[in-house]
Amino acid sequence: MLDVVSPPLSVNVFKKFVVLWVKSRVYMLIQRFAKLFFGCLAAVTSGMMYAVYLSTYHERKFWFSSRQELEREITFQGDSAIYYSFYKELLKAPSFERGVYELTHNNKTVSLKTINAVQQMTLYPELIASVLYQASGSEEVIEPVYFYIGIVFGLQGIYVTALFVTSWVMSGTWLAGMLTVAWFIINRTDTTRIDYSIPSRENWALPYFACQVAALTGYLKKTLNCSAEKFCYLLVSASTYTFMMMWEYSHYLLFVQAVSLFLLDSFALAQTEKVHEVYKIYLFSLFLGYLLQFENSALLVSPLLSLIAALMLSKCLQMNMKKGTFMSRLLKIMYIYLVLTITVTLNFLLKMFVPHKENEHLLKFIEVKLGLNTTKNFTMNWLLCQESLQAPSQDFFLRLTQSSLLPFYILVLIICLFSVTQVIFRRICGEPLKETVKLEDGRIGERPEIVYHVIHTILLGCLAMCLEGMKYLWTPYVCMLAAFGVCSPELWMTLFKWLRLKAVTVHNPFLLTFPTIIGFSLWKEFFPRIMSELSELQEFYDPDTVELMTWIKRQAPVAAVFAGSPQLMGVIKLCTGWMVSSLPLYNDDDLLKRNENIYQIYSKRSAEDIYKILTSYKANFLVIEDSICNEVGPVRGCRVKDLLDIANGHVVCEEGDSYADSKYGRFCHEIKMNYSPYVNYFTRVYWNRSYFVYKINTVISFQS
């Protein structure tokens, strides 16, 4: 018999090794898949729950389901009313093409003025919403108003999901995403304006910007495979262009982002090729936006375009210089100064040679805001008095502190800044960056996506410290950065290394239990408050405005033109469809001048002057609001009538006291007295507790 030869011992060991290796790989793949699956599930669920929360809160606040159509539309105030009114017009049009044509050649909204409403008011969200409503066959399923606000609430859910993903990508754990969402909702007063103005452009645009930031965060990572990098690149491209089409001021926010990337690249903290690919995306989006926004000249004179052109030119100058020469070193040292100088010069030249109306009032506002100039102009002073354009109040910082957001943000920001400073110092000394940064290294500042977010939040924070309205751009990213820092093992290892705590390892339970404790404490303190908001019975009802709109629809001629405050004119246009003399929009110099002229009905001017102003705009009816005429504001100098008196020179200031200097009484008061000459020019046709409507007489005999 033949003896059976057993395999060598080394072969058995090798087989066991292969089996163990395969098992470990399978286990790792299953673990990664489970982590990815549950993370994505948590992100999507968070977004959906937030959208449902907004919808429920809106229903409890306005009782939409139990309101008539007119009462629902009154809840849209100011510019929101104008945006929704054009959405209604698109749905009423016989065809989509006809509706778009009527909006681009609109002469039925503002008297004596034909406007391209799509370009001037950035109505692309309404175009998309109307197409989706009609193409999806939703006419028989859901009312237009529910479909419209449902899209906005859905976008807010995407906004929250994008913030979740950004924090998750940065920290490596979706626990950071959960904490981001918690802080975002708890500080909802300071993270979003969705409660006050649903159709505002920022509510449509910022979710796309959040998606762009999430994709850009992944794109900047060093450890990224080729397919993931391509996906992030495509997502950055699509979201950047969409964001630019949704909001007229989007290129300013992209400019801030471009400055952040420029600083990141200047300190050699990111791959230059990736940063310049993002610059190309900006350039392509500007070009495509210029063409599809009816050759919008505002994009040509945008500081974003000037910065990109300066960066491209500076790059060519650097490439043409031989390495190691004196000029190349000097150019490298002066690189930032060179780019900034070229940017300012190009922007100045473009504004000289390109015809534009790029919000000149904004430049004047900045001059006055910075104390470089003074003015008595009504529009400038009215803008300065707006709460959103004031410096943030102490209550803002108190709210962020009470939710523990601000303290953790400051802690994370300080750690990241110190780490980035160390990295920059090493780069100056000639030490190259590591290709892969290990957790044990404790070098959070060498990760380009982290440095980008640090710079970005600092720039946005500087803007938020000047203008309270900018907090809605800054605070969401404060939530994201703070949550990332609290949940990031790498950040804590950086701190522990500085403190020389060698006993601390990556497996320390503190790295998971600490954010869990924070989340639990937030849930215990703020969850009951959030639920009480949904259970609290609120009611928004304005019977006087309902009565006014009903009277206009029943009694006023179809061809009538109404004059009054811009905010009220927006509601009249939405609820009745009648033509108005002004609109609550502040990106057009002619409309701003109209608003100032029609606001004179609350000034101390003669009946004849007011009559000439109103008839110059072909107005037939005048609406006086008692709330403006008898306004008692918290800041005396910021009431509409006070600003008008200053602009008209009807106030004399001597030794700190103000004295009236006009031979006429306040028009809105005098007209209610029904005596000559007011009754010769105006005839009262309707009134209630809040509004007085006067018909503007057509035949007047002027007497000196």
Side-chain angles (χ1 to χ4, degrees), residues 71-308:
E71 295 171 342
R72 293 174 182 172
E73 292 176 350
I74 287 175
T75 62
F76 296 102
Q77 298 289 319
D79 58 345
S80 299
I82 294 299
Y83 295 130
Y84 185 72
S85 70
F86 287 121
Y87 169 71
K88 279 181 58 180
E89 290 184 15
L90 280 168
L91 295 181
K92 291 179 181 178
S95 65
F96 177 75
E97 293 78 8
R98 182 62 186 175
V100 173
Y101 178 83
E102 290 178 354
L103 290 185
T104 54
H105 303 79
N106 187 282
N107 58 1
K108 298 179 180 179
T109 299
V110 183
S111 60
L112 301 179
K113 189 176 179 67
T114 300
I115 60 176
N116 184 342
V118 177
Q119 177 189 12
Q120 189 165 345
M121 302 177 193
T122 320
L123 296 181
Y124 296 98
E126 282 66 34
L127 295 179
I128 295 173
S130 63
V131 168
L132 291 176
Y133 184 72
Q134 294 173 335
S136 61
S138 301
E139 294 93 334
E140 299 179 358
V141 180
I142 187 173
E143 297 180 52
V145 65
Y146 281 110
F147 187 84
Y148 185 86
I149 64 176
I151 292 179
V152 180
F153 290 156
L155 285 174
Q156 299 309 300
I158 294 175
Y159 191 3
V160 166
T161 300
L163 292 174
F164 183 110
V165 172
T166 305
S167 187
W168 179 15
V169 170
M170 292 170 63
S171 65
T173 170
W174 51 267
L175 189 62
M178 298 293 289
L179 194 55
T180 300
V181 175
W183 266 325
F184 183 91
I185 297 176
I186 290 169
N187 297 280
R188 189 165 51 89
T189 305
D190 303 305
T191 56
T192 176
R193 286 204 313 148
I194 191 70
D195 288 353
Y196 316 111
S197 180
I198 292 177
S200 67
R201 301 302 83 178
E202 65 192 63
N203 288 334
W204 285 89
L206 290 181
Y208 295 102
F209 183 68
C211 292
Q212 189 251 28
V213 170
L216 181 62
T217 303
Y219 184 67
L220 291 174
K221 286 176 70 72
K222 293 179 181 179
T223 56
L224 197 68
N225 59 55
C226 184
S227 58
E229 184 175 314
K230 289 181 180 179
F231 173 77
C232 289
Y233 178 82
L234 292 175
L235 185 56
V236 170
S237 303
S239 54
T240 300
Y241 172 69
T242 307
F243 174 60
M244 190 169 291
M245 294 295 290
M246 292 290 172
W247 194 20
E248 61 200 277
Y249 299 118
S250 59
H251 55 92
Y252 291 114
L253 187 53
L254 291 175
F255 170 72
V256 175
Q257 186 184 69
V259 171
S260 305
L261 292 172
F262 160 61
L263 294 175
L264 184 69
D265 185 39
S266 300
F267 294 119
L269 299 176
Q271 298 178 27
T272 301
E273 296 77 11
K274 286 187 176 182
V275 174
H276 283 273
E277 286 298 321
V278 178
Y279 293 156
K280 293 177 183 178
I281 292 174
Y282 291 149
L283 195 61
F284 176 75
S285 298
L286 284 169
F287 174 72
L288 202 58
Y290 171 76
L291 294 179
L292 296 183
Q293 292 183 17
F294 307 92
E295 298 183 356
N296 185 5
S297 60
L299 297 180
L300 295 181
V301 298
S302 166
L304 176 62
L305 180 60
S306 301
L307 177 62
I308 295 172

Side-chain angles (χ1 to χ4, degrees), residues 607-622:
E608 182 178 348
D609 289 346
I610 302 299
Y611 179 82
K612 288 181 178 179
I613 291 173
L614 297 176
T615 53
S616 68
Y617 297 119
K618 300 298 182 183
N620 306 114
F621 291 89
L622 169 65

Side-chain angles (χ1 to χ4, degrees), residues 249 252 351 354-367 380 383 586-589 592:
Y249 299 118
Y252 291 114
K351 288 185 176 180
V354 176
H356 70 285
K357 294 181 180 179
E358 175 51 12
N359 303 320
E360 295 180 2
H361 61 282
L362 289 180
L363 299 178
K364 297 177 182 177
F365 166 77
I366 293 173
E367 289 181 2
M380 289 298 104
L383 289 173
Y586 311 105
N587 58 356
D588 182 86
D589 291 335
L592 286 173

Side-chain angles (χ1 to χ4, degrees), residues 406-463:
L406 190 59
F408 283 116
Y409 168 73
I410 294 174
L411 174 63
V412 172
L413 189 64
I414 290 174
I415 296 174
C416 291
L417 276 177
F418 271 108
S419 183
V420 171
T421 304
Q422 286 182 335
V423 173
I424 293 174
F425 181 75
R426 294 193 192 102
R427 295 290 291 150
I428 294 175
C429 295
E431 181 181 337
L433 292 176
K434 289 187 174 183
E435 289 296 327
T436 57
V437 180
K438 297 180 180 180
L439 182 62
E440 294 81 0
D441 295 334
R443 292 187 177 186
I444 192 77
E446 289 193 9
R447 291 176 56 187
E449 71 275 18
I450 305 300
V451 183
Y452 157 71
H453 279 288
V454 169
I455 299 174
H456 196 197
T457 55
I458 290 175
L459 294 179
L460 290 178
C462 292
L463 294 174

Side-chain angles (χ1 to χ4, degrees), residues 593 596-613 644-645 647-650 662-671 677-678 682:
K593 188 62 179 177
E596 181 177 351
N597 289 338
I598 293 174
Y599 262 130
Q600 297 297 325
I601 61 179
Y602 300 105
S603 68
K604 296 177 179 179
R605 296 184 63 173
S606 66
E608 182 178 348
D609 289 346
I610 302 299
Y611 179 82
K612 288 181 178 179
I613 291 173
L644 289 168
D645 291 343
N648 296 335
H650 294 160
S662 176
K663 62 180 180 180
Y664 301 106
R666 197 166 301 280
F667 176 82
C668 62
H669 287 153
E670 300 297 321
I671 194 174
Y678 296 93
F682 308 96

